[in-house]
């Protein structure tokens, strides 16, 4: 194994950047080439079909079967013209990945041959096997029927030689079995609720859109080194490994020059993304060695989420072309930064107004404050649910460590905006506030500067921060489906805006002016949400104690964090917004607990195998070398001199024995803990048992293996080390 290690390390360090075929055209010439966007629709569809489809997309209306047949024919011709041979419904099951089943464009022609055919029925609806995907008990194994249905708001695209049609995925009995269905419901709900409130300020507003800009962090590892680490291959992270003497402490990687191999990969990735209409724009080195980030231009949330899921698939394929492997695990390496996927979220009207951006008039600024405060109220009421929406077995390793936000949801506003909110809460006048940069805070809100970015510093320890004209949900993990967080956030805000509108309307009905009613409700909400507002150091122990006193959710056990989905307030919120039924919520939690258990179970099995079949034999072999050396010294030197010379080796032998004894004991304890947990019938209790009894054993085993790594001769250590994994150029 050691020979393999040195061979792959040598290959990795000497590998050159692959040549990337750069299109001769500029990006605008090939951008969206593989997407059935409106330009392609206009070209391939009859004029009346095109107009019907565009109207249905813009107004969220269903398509008639006749229009669907016409769309299918045009979409098929476009796909075949661009090399596609198959089509698939591309959906998002509860695996947090995507799924697809390919069918060829062929049907019998009745004469012993085939014709290429694609109908509206095949475009609009298909029937994947619902029993083979996580469903939380909604479907029995023998009840296989489920349906995928076309989401017309997300354009079809060609990946490889396959036409991919974004779809929802539901059970035969109508429950959602995916992420897209509830996301669309949440977006519709926040559209309706936010539009009603926005009409206080502009009666001509017809729709409010939710926007998302994700920041995808990831690690790259040379594929040869990856293949020599069974833990990376099977779990996505290193289950053992002592930190390198040099890692990120010099802060020289962040925003540094991009290595040539990585830049070649990035360019190739960007070209593929642009062909698929993914508007990636920003790339840079992240804080940890071999860690990088890719970010796009903001898009409507549903489309942005589809693009992020597609990106993660593209990254993997492109990385393999460059002899890399992409690591999307939230914490693939201990002791250095983990990877997140910051979700920059905002709301905007169909009139082009961003609702979290101050404007030029008092009315604009009152609108800004209204939506700002209502988001704070929603996050305050559902802080436990928002934490549950980003919780997972993998993200648990990242939260609260190395610049990742803590596992307590709070909102950062910055001192400037905090002062404004405080002035509103304590003021007894209906005059608005002056937020001018020079004078600070005084009464008269008409002079809020258009840009507040310079008025607000960034707080990297805040999980939910206001950053000028949007909120940045920083707690989302790098491997996650963004829809999970976006469902909870948009639904919670929709509920809060509904409550706010009803309260304001009730005041107006009693004779209050709209302005007075709005400000009175805002004052009340600002006072109610004081607990969620925190601009300090989220890493401090003092904040953890303070958060408990404020009544915020401070639970750290992932299986117990999931309980927030089934709290009374969550169930009522999801039901009132039409996002989830109680049956769907219960089923999803069963899946979450089961998924947590399976991920920890796999890691425990891999760690046990590596510990007993790789590490212990190598450590024993080295210990034998030391023992042989001690015996030779004793035979060569006088007793006192021999004891002096061999003393260090004897001490090392003793320490190694202690470490190996603990490893063997803890592996046995871990196996027994797994067996005990597996006998539990409740998925929740099983997940809790894995968290409480299996994970601690894994941490102890890792500690002692990492100590052995420092003792065993480097020439025989079987696995590539951190210094080799993290510094490939």
């Amino acid at each position: 194994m050691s020979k393999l290690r040195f061979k792959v390390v040598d290959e990795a360090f000497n590998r050159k950047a692959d040549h990337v075929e750069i299109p001769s055209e500029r990006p605008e010439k090939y951008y969206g080439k593989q997407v059935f966007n409106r330009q392609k629709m206009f070209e391939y569809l009859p004029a009346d079909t095109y107009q019907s489809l565009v109207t249905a997309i813009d107004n969220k209306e269903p398509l008639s079967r006749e229009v669907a047949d016409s769309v299918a024919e045009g979409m098929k011709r476009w796909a075949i013209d661009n090399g596609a041979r198959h089509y698939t419904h591309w959906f998002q099951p509860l695996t947090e990945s995507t799924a697809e089943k390919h069918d060829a464009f062929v049907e019998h022609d009745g004469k012993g041959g085939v014709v290429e055919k694609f109908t509206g029925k095949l475009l609009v609806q298909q029937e994947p096997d619902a029993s083979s995907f996580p469903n939380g008990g909604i479907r029995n194994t023998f009840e296989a029927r489920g349906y995928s249905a076309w989401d017309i708001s997300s354009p079809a695209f060609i990946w490889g030689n396959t036409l991919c049609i974004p779809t929802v995925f539901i059970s035969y009995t109508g429950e959602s079995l995916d992420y897209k269905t509830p996301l669309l419901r949440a977006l519709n709900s926040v559209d309706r609720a936010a539009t009603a409130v926005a009409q206080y300020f502009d009666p001509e507003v017809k729709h409010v859109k939710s926007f998302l800009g994700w920041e995808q962090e990831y690690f790259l590892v040379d594929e040869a080194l990856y293949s020599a680490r069974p833990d990376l291959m099977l779990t996505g992270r290193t289950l053992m490994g002592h930190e390198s003497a040099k890692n990120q402490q010099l802060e020289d990687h962040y925003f540094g020059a991009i290595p040539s191999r990585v830049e070649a990969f990035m360019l190739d990735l960007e070209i593929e993304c642009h062909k698929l209409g993914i508007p990636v724009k920003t790339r840079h080195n992240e804080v940890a060695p071999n860690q990088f980030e890719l970010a796009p231009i903001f898009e409507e949330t549903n489309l942005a989420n589809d693009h992020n899921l597609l990106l993660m698939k593209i990254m993997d394929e492109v990385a393999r072309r460059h002899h890399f492997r992409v690591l999307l695990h939230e914490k693939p390496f201990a002791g250095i930064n983990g990877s997140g996927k910051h979700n920059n979220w905002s709301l905007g009207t169909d009139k082009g107004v961003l609702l979290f951006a101050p404007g030029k008039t008092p009315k604009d600024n009152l609108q800004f404050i209204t939506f700002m405060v209502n988001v704070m109220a929603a996050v305050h009421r559902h802080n436990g649910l928002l934490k549950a929406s980003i919780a997972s077995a993998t993200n648990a390793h990242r939260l609260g460590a190395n610049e990742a936000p803590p596992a307590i949801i709070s909102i950062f506003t910055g001192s400037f905006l905090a002062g404004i909110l405080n002035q509103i809460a304590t003021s007894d006048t209906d005059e608005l506030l002056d937020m001018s940069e020079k004078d600070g805070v005084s009464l008269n809100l008409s002079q809020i500067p258009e840009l507040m970015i310079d008025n607000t510093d960034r707080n990297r320890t805040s999980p939910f921060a206001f950053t000028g004209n949007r909120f940045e949900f920083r707690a989302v993990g790098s491997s996650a489906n963004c829809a999970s967080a976006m469902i909870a956030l948009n639904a919670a805000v929709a509920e809060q805006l509904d409550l706010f509108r009803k309260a304001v309307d009730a005041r107006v009905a009693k004779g209050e002016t709209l302005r007075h009613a709005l400000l009175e409700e805002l004052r009340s909400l600002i006072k109610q949400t004081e607990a969620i507002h925190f601009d300090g150091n989220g890493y401090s122990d003092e904040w953890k104690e303070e958060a408990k006193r404020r009544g915020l959710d401070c639970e750290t056990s992932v299986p117990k964090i999931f309980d927030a989905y089934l709290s009374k307030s969550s169930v009522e919120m999801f039901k009132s917004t039409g996002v989830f039924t109680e049956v769907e919520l219960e089923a999803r939690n069963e899946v979450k607990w089961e998924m947590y258990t399976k991920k920890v179970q796999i890691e425990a099995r891999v760690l046990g195998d590596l510990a007993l079949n790789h590490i212990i034999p190598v450590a024993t072999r080295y210990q034998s070398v030391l023992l042989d050396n001690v015996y030779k010294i004793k035979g060569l030197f006088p007793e006192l001199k021999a004891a002096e010379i061999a003393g260090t080796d004897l001490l090392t032998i003793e320490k190694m024995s202690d470490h190996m004894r603990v490893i063997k004991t803890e592996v046995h304890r871990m196996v027994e803990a797994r067996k005990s947990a597996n006998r539990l019938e409740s998925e929740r209790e099983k997940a809790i048992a894995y968290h409480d009894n299996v994970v601690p054993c894994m941490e102890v085993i890792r500690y002692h293996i990492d100590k052995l790594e420092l003792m065993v001769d480097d020439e025989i250590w079987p696995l590539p080390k951190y210094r080799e994994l993290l510094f490939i150029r």
Side-chain angles (χ1 to χ4, degrees):
M1 190 64 165
S2 60
K3 291 181 180 179
L4 171 62
R5 174 184 153 218
F6 287 118
K7 180 177 182 294
V8 298
V9 169
D10 185 62
E11 288 177 358
F13 273 93
N14 288 287
R15 208 184 301 278
K16 303 298 182 183
D18 282 25
H19 173 71
V20 178
E21 192 67 36
I22 302 175
S24 57
E25 310 97 336
R26 301 302 299 167
E28 60 266 22
K29 296 295 185 181
Y30 59 82
Y31 187 86
K33 177 182 178 181
Q34 295 168 220
V35 182
F36 195 61
N37 53 26
R38 296 197 181 196
Q39 178 185 349
K40 311 298 193 318
M41 293 175 191
F42 185 80
E43 180 181 350
Y44 279 86
L45 300 180
D48 57 341
T49 301
Y50 170 79
Q51 192 57 53
S52 296
L53 179 57
V54 169
T55 300
I57 293 171
D58 290 343
N59 297 325
K60 302 180 180 180
E61 297 172 351
L63 286 177
S64 69
R65 184 50 58 93
E66 292 76 17
V67 172
D69 281 335
S70 182
V71 172
E73 176 60 28
M75 190 182 292
K76 181 203 73 177
R77 287 192 297 108
W78 169 76
I80 292 173
D81 285 350
N82 285 274
R85 303 176 66 89
H86 294 75
Y87 63 91
T88 182
H89 273 198
W90 186 76
F91 57 98
Q92 306 168 26
L94 300 181
T95 57
E96 294 203 344
S97 183
T98 57
E100 52 198 66
K101 180 186 72 172
H102 298 188
D103 287 295
F105 289 112
V106 293
E107 298 288 346
H108 285 298
D109 65 356
K111 303 173 184 177
V114 295
V115 294
E116 291 183 313
K117 190 175 182 181
F118 186 53
T119 66
K121 180 180 178 181
L122 295 173
L123 168 63
V124 171
Q125 180 179 311
Q126 290 189 25
E127 187 182 323
D129 184 346
S131 68
S132 299
F133 291 101
N135 59 66
I138 286 179
R139 307 297 291 150
N140 292 311
T141 302
F142 59 86
E143 296 174 322
R145 182 160 287 168
Y147 298 110
S148 55
W150 179 30
D151 170 19
I152 64 173
S153 65
S154 185
F157 58 90
I158 296 173
W159 178 237
N161 296 310
T162 303
L163 171 67
C164 298
I165 304 158
T167 63
V168 299
F169 182 43
I170 60 174
S171 72
Y172 177 71
T173 47
E175 294 89 0
S176 65
L177 296 174
D178 66 342
Y179 282 97
K180 180 181 277 286
T181 302
L183 177 60
L184 291 173
R185 292 171 182 168
L187 297 177
N188 287 337
S189 183
V190 80
D191 176 8
R192 175 188 51 76
T195 297
V197 173
Q199 286 174 345
Y200 286 143
F201 309 96
D202 182 355
E204 295 186 5
V205 170
K206 297 295 188 293
H207 289 288
V208 169
K209 288 185 178 181
S210 169
F211 295 97
L212 170 63
W214 38 262
E215 302 171 20
Q216 182 69 62
E217 295 176 345
Y218 61 95
F219 281 84
L220 288 176
V221 175
D222 186 273
E223 66 177 355
L225 295 170
Y226 172 89
S227 299
R229 291 282 311 216
D231 49 355
L232 277 180
M233 293 177 63
L234 297 175
T235 73
R237 76 178 180 109
T238 53
L239 300 176
M240 60 191 70
H242 198 281
E243 66 180 62
S244 172
K246 178 185 182 297
N247 47 54
Q248 66 186 44
Q249 65 266 50
L250 294 180
E251 300 173 334
D252 54 345
H253 187 68
Y254 192 48
F255 282 17
I258 300 172
S260 59
R261 272 189 71 194
V262 176
E263 189 170 9
F265 156 78
M266 287 179 167
L267 178 58
D268 198 358
L269 176 61
E270 288 170 358
I271 293 170
E272 295 291 352
C273 285
H274 288 161
K275 289 178 182 177
L276 287 160
I278 305 174
V280 294
K281 182 178 178 66
T282 303
R283 67 187 191 190
H284 62 83
N285 289 2
E286 256 300 334
V287 174
N290 274 20
Q291 187 187 33
F292 309 94
E293 181 179 297
L294 181 68
I297 302 169
F298 281 39
E299 297 180 286
E300 184 274 328
T301 297
N302 177 48
L303 180 58
N305 189 61
D306 282 359
H307 279 167
N308 181 250
L309 289 168
L310 180 57
L311 169 83
M312 292 193 285
K313 296 295 184 183
I314 300 170
M315 289 175 80
D316 182 67
E317 184 163 321
V318 173
R320 291 169 188 255
R321 293 206 294 252
H322 293 262
H323 309 291
F324 282 123
R325 291 301 175 95
V326 170
L327 303 182
L328 293 175
H329 192 289
E330 282 76 4
K331 197 73 171 179
F333 302 101
I336 59 175
N337 272 27
S339 294
K341 180 153 47 192
H342 302 176
N343 279 204
N344 293 276
W345 170 79
S346 63
L347 296 175
T349 72
D350 55 354
K351 310 279 285 185
V353 176
L354 288 177
L355 295 174
F356 300 140
K360 297 179 180 179
T361 68
K363 181 188 289 187
D364 292 338
N365 293 327
L366 180 56
Q367 178 174 261
F368 158 67
I369 293 295
T370 295
F371 279 91
M372 176 81 184
V373 171
N374 273 280
V375 170
M376 294 179 69
V379 175
H380 178 240
R381 178 181 289 108
H382 296 291
N383 69 95
L385 172 65
L386 288 172
K387 180 165 67 175
S389 75
I390 55 87
S392 67
T394 53
N395 206 20
H397 296 286
R398 164 182 168 259
L399 294 180
N402 296 98
E403 293 195 3
I408 301 171
I409 300 297
S410 63
I411 292 180
F412 168 82
T413 65
S415 58
F416 188 81
L417 184 54
I420 296 296
L421 297 177
N422 182 62
Q423 286 293 314
I424 293 174
T426 57
S427 173
D428 58 1
T429 175
D430 287 352
E431 289 297 318
L432 302 183
L433 298 177
D434 178 4
M435 294 168 63
S436 61
E437 199 167 8
K438 292 182 179 179
D439 299 330
V441 178
S442 61
L443 293 179
N444 196 344
L445 187 88
S446 62
Q447 297 180 23
I448 301 178
E450 287 186 73
L451 295 178
M452 290 186 59
I453 296 174
D454 293 334
N455 293 330
T456 302
D457 198 356
R458 297 188 68 190
N459 185 328
R460 299 188 67 86
T461 71
S462 175
F464 197 88
F466 180 67
T467 56
N469 58 7
R470 63 191 183 275
F471 287 92
E472 185 178 18
F473 197 178
R474 301 185 65 249
V476 183
S478 54
S479 67
N481 186 327
C482 298
S484 181
M486 290 294 101
I487 291 166
L489 178 58
N490 284 284
V493 171
E495 178 203 44
Q496 173 56 38
L497 289 170
D498 274 338
L499 294 173
F500 179 78
R501 178 183 54 80
K502 290 175 183 177
V504 169
D505 287 353
R507 284 180 175 273
V508 172
K510 292 179 181 179
E512 295 183 22
T513 66
L514 176 59
R515 183 188 185 88
H516 181 76
L518 288 168
L519 283 169
E520 283 301 304
E521 286 302 315
L522 291 174
R523 289 186 182 105
S524 176
L525 288 178
I526 292 169
K527 293 172 183 176
Q528 292 173 28
T529 60
E530 287 180 359
I532 201 69
H533 180 200
F534 179 67
D535 288 352
N537 180 8
Y539 287 163
S540 68
D541 292 333
E542 291 79 8
W543 165 235
K544 295 175 184 177
E545 294 301 318
E546 174 65 19
K548 289 179 183 177
R549 287 194 293 270
R550 294 187 183 190
L552 301 182
D553 190 312
C554 298
E555 182 60 63
T556 57
S557 167
V558 170
K560 293 180 181 178
I561 288 173
F562 291 149
D563 290 343
Y565 272 101
L566 298 177
S567 69
K568 183 179 179 180
S569 62
S570 294
V571 172
E572 290 178 350
M573 181 271 289
F574 282 125
K575 288 172 68 176
S576 70
T577 55
V579 174
F580 286 124
T581 65
E582 191 164 359
V583 170
E584 288 173 323
L585 284 172
E586 290 172 350
R588 282 167 188 269
N589 259 30
E590 288 292 302
V591 172
K592 288 178 180 293
W593 285 316
E594 184 180 13
M595 195 67 68
Y596 178 89
T597 296
K598 288 179 177 179
K599 287 186 176 181
V600 176
Q601 184 181 74
I602 291 170
E603 288 189 351
R605 287 175 171 173
V606 172
L607 180 60
D609 172 51
L610 289 176
L612 297 183
N613 299 319
H614 292 68
I615 304 304
I616 293 296
V618 167
T620 301
R621 191 189 321 158
Y622 183 60
Q623 194 179 48
S624 297
V625 171
L626 294 179
L627 283 169
D628 183 60
N629 188 52
V630 168
Y631 280 120
K632 289 177 179 177
I633 289 173
K634 287 186 175 181
L636 184 62
F637 295 99
E639 183 176 349
L640 290 178
K641 187 66 174 177
E644 178 184 346
I645 296 173
T648 301
D649 283 349
L650 287 170
L651 183 60
T652 300
I653 291 168
E654 182 180 359
K655 288 182 177 179
M656 290 181 66
S657 295
D658 290 340
H659 290 309
M660 287 189 285
R661 174 181 53 78
V662 174
I663 291 170
K664 292 175 183 177
T665 300
E666 289 299 316
V667 168
H668 175 74
R669 183 177 299 169
M670 179 178 68
V671 171
E672 293 304 311
R674 287 208 320 266
K675 291 179 180 178
S676 177
N678 291 340
R679 287 192 288 267
L680 298 173
E681 293 186 5
S682 164
E683 291 296 343
R684 178 181 183 275
E685 296 306 314
K686 187 183 298 184
I688 291 173
Y690 265 85
H691 175 275
D692 293 349
N693 303 324
V694 176
V695 171
C697 292
M698 295 174 63
E699 293 171 351
V700 174
I701 293 167
R702 174 174 191 146
Y703 172 83
H704 289 277
I705 290 177
D706 290 355
K707 291 297 183 182
L708 285 177
E709 182 183 320
L710 296 178
M711 297 179 178
V712 173
D713 188 343
D714 185 63
E715 288 191 3
I716 64 171
W717 189 256
L719 304 177
K721 298 183 177 182
Y722 272 23
R723 68 169 184 265
E724 298 157 352
L725 290 165
L726 289 171
F727 296 96
I728 304 302
R729 293 292 184 267

